[in-house]
Structures are given as C-alpha cells and as structure tokens.
Amino acid sequence: MKRLFRFVCLALVGDLAVAAFVTAQSRPTTSPAASPTVEQAIDLAAKGRCQEALPILKRSAAHITDKNLKYRAAMATARCAMSLDQAETAVTALLLLKREFPHDPEVLYITTHYYGELASRASQELAATAPTSYQALELEAEAMESQNRWDDAAAEYEKILQQNPSVPGIHFRLGRVLLSKPESPANTEEAKKEFEDELKLDPTNAAAEFSLGEIARRAGQWSDAIPHFTNASKLDPGFAEAFLALGMSLNSAERYSEAVGPLERYAKMLPGDAAGHYQLSIAYARTGRKEDATREMAIQRQIVEKAPNGSRP
C-alpha cells in the first residue's frame, strides 16, 4: 500500500511539472525594448496621443539598444513630455539626446526651443504666484536690459535694493546697467560704487572684481586694474577673460615677465583667440624669448587670416 501511495504521488508531481512547463512555453515572451511596442508608442506620439504613448516610452527608454530607435523614442518622449507639461521627463529626454547625439542639428534645435519654452513657463509661474517678490522684479529688470531699456531696468534694480538691500547680485547688475548707458564720468563713478557695494555683500563675486578692473584699465590705471583682475582670476579659475585682461594690463604696465603666466593660461583656454597669442608674443619678446614670440605671432596671423572678416586684435 505504501509503495502504491508513493507511486501515485510521484506521478502527480510529474504531471504538475509537465503542465507548468507547457503553460510557461505557451506564454508570449515580451521585452520592454521590443520594437513593435516602442514603434507603436512612437506612432501614437506622432498622432498626438501622448497620454497613451508617454508611459510606454518612459518604461522602455533604459532598454532600447538600437541607436535609431533610441533617437526616435527620445524625440517622441521630449515632445510628449512638453505637451503634457512634464518638465522633468522632458529634460531627461533632452539630456539623453545631447549625450547620445551631441552634434545632431535637430537635437540642438529642439534643445534650444524646449529649454526656452521651459524658461518661459517658469517665468510665467513666478509672475503668477509671487509677482511682488524680488525674484520676479529681477526677472522683469533682466527683460528690460535685453531690450536696452537701461533706465527702466535700473529703476527695477533700485526697487529691489530698497526692499531687500542684502540680496546678492543686484548691485552688480545695477552697475552693469550704468555702464551700458551712454558713457559719462558720472555713470562710470556710479557703476564703480555699485561694484564695490556688491563686493561688500559678496566678496566672491568675480564678475564685480573684473568690472572694477575694466574701469581702471580703460582709464589707464594699471596699478588699480591689476589687483582686481588678479582677484577675479583667483575667484574663478575658469574666467578666461580675467587672465587676458590681467596679462594685457601687466604688458601695459611693462611688467612683461609677470604677464607671461596669465597670458599662457589664456592661450591654452582659448587657443583660437588671436588677441591672446598677440599679447603673449609681446610678453615673450620683451623678456628675451624671441623664438616663442615669433611662434605666437605666427599663430596670431594664421587665426586672423582664417577669420571671416580678417579682424585683428
């Protein structure tokens, strides 16, 4: 009897295993990256049915290996995400496209277009939810600057400072507006004061240091310009223009050996700018490095000759 019971149990187990195998084999195998699914989502997106398409595209994005399919899916994702106001998904798709297809004209176009649209939406939301905030006023002032409405922009910045005198960046922007207006000693002095006030609030503002250096350089005040440009280059090691301005000021002050370092740094950062090579050739020549000076001057000439308008530094 025991043997018969054991035999029946084994037979049942075997039948269940066979049934499970048959059932598993009969199920269709699907993959998130399967072309028909993604292709269908892309087709839905093209027809404007983004509510249906976007979940499939988002779910499939990490599994697509085909380059062309990935491109089309990411494009569709970006378009649908923008239409459904899903900013995070849109930005993720744009970043993928920029990483995978960095020089594609269509990618560059929609990146410019969509980021501009996202910025516009954010500014509208700011104006609607916090119209009296200093951020909203600052955004309005920046728009006025872009339209060359210098007096209106200055009035907005001054309004911000009246309400929030400790907000960083506003004195700098006001100084920049003053320098953009018709040049006059009064405007220059006012701008200088604004940049100095900015540095009192934010001693790390490299742009304010640079602007003070430029005011001094234009006036031929090398002893004032050099420290400001030096500070700007230290505060922001990626501030290429600060190294060029420092080198030019040192050359003008006949401190040629000191000019070599910042000018070499600038030439490495922006090797296609003729001005850097020209100033470096002067510094080399005045420090007895004739071969280096000749080389830099030759590079400068090549750049000028290749330039569309043949402009010189």
Side-chain angles (χ1 to χ4, degrees):
M1 181 65 71
K2 288 182 180 180
R3 289 180 179 177
L4 178 60
F5 178 74
R6 187 180 300 113
F7 176 77
V8 171
C9 288
L10 288 173
L12 287 171
V13 169
D15 290 343
L16 289 171
V18 170
F21 177 77
V22 171
T23 302
Q25 291 296 310
S26 64
R27 291 193 188 118
T29 56
T30 59
S31 168
S35 294
T37 303
V38 179
E39 290 282 5
Q40 183 181 24
I42 293 170
D43 185 57
L44 289 170
K47 295 176 180 177
R49 296 165 62 180
C50 285
Q51 290 281 10
E52 302 168 65
L54 194 55
I56 300 171
L57 292 167
K58 289 168 65 175
R59 188 166 59 245
S60 306
H63 306 284
I64 301 173
T65 56
D66 180 79
K67 198 79 170 175
N68 180 58
L69 187 59
K70 181 180 289 189
Y71 177 88
R72 294 167 56 224
M75 283 287 194
T77 301
R79 284 194 296 270
C80 279
M82 289 296 295
S83 70
L84 297 175
D85 200 19
Q86 295 187 21
E88 185 176 348
T89 300
V91 170
T92 299
L94 291 173
L95 290 174
L96 183 151
L97 286 164
K98 188 67 173 67
R99 183 179 66 250
E100 298 286 340
F101 312 94
H103 306 298
D104 183 87
E106 186 65 17
V107 168
L108 296 174
Y109 171 77
I110 70 159
T111 298
T112 302
H113 180 70
Y114 286 163
Y115 277 142
E117 178 63 23
L118 288 170
S120 177
R121 292 180 187 179
S123 66
Q124 291 171 9
E125 184 177 353
L126 175 60
T129 58
T132 61
S133 66
Y134 79 81
Q135 292 90 344
L137 294 176
E138 186 174 355
L139 201 61
E140 183 67 20
E142 290 174 9
M144 292 171 178
E145 276 193 71
S146 68
Q147 299 165 9
N148 296 339
R149 295 166 54 190
W150 310 122
D151 291 335
D152 292 336
E156 289 297 305
Y157 287 133
E158 287 169 355
K159 189 186 299 183
I160 293 171
L161 289 172
Q162 289 170 5
Q163 298 175 1
N164 302 274
S166 299
V167 176
I170 304 303
H171 283 291
F172 168 72
R173 290 186 178 278
L174 184 52
R176 187 176 63 184
V177 167
L178 289 165
L179 288 183
S180 299
K181 296 169 70 174
E183 188 174 352
S184 71
N187 286 342
T188 300
E189 282 303 310
E190 287 184 51
K192 183 178 178 180
K193 182 180 181 304
E194 294 298 334
F195 295 136
E196 290 171 344
D197 288 344
E198 182 63 40
L199 288 170
K200 290 175 185 177
L201 284 176
D202 180 12
T204 67
N205 192 313
E209 284 282 9
F210 179 85
S211 298
L212 287 170
E214 272 295 286
I215 291 173
R217 186 183 70 84
R218 292 175 184 177
Q221 299 169 351
W222 316 122
S223 59
D224 290 335
I226 290 168
H228 286 301
F229 290 136
T230 300
N231 289 341
S233 64
K234 289 180 179 178
L235 289 169
D236 184 357
F239 197 165
E241 290 80 2
F243 289 99
L244 175 62
L246 175 57
M248 291 172 64
S249 299
L250 288 165
N251 272 348
S252 298
E254 299 183 356
R255 294 162 59 177
Y256 302 109
S257 60
E258 296 174 65
V260 169
L263 290 171
E264 287 180 336
R265 179 77 172 269
Y266 179 78
K268 288 180 180 178
M269 295 172 79
L270 294 175
D273 184 17
H277 295 286
Y278 176 76
Q279 290 290 328
L280 186 53
S281 71
I282 293 173
Y284 281 152
R286 295 304 180 93
T287 53
R289 298 172 61 174
K290 302 298 182 182
E291 291 184 5
D292 291 332
T294 301
R295 182 192 68 243
E296 292 300 318
M297 188 59 75
I299 295 172
Q300 184 263 342
R301 281 197 297 267
Q302 290 174 0
I303 294 171
V304 170
E305 289 170 0
K306 292 179 181 179
N309 57 2
S311 59
R312 295 181 179 277

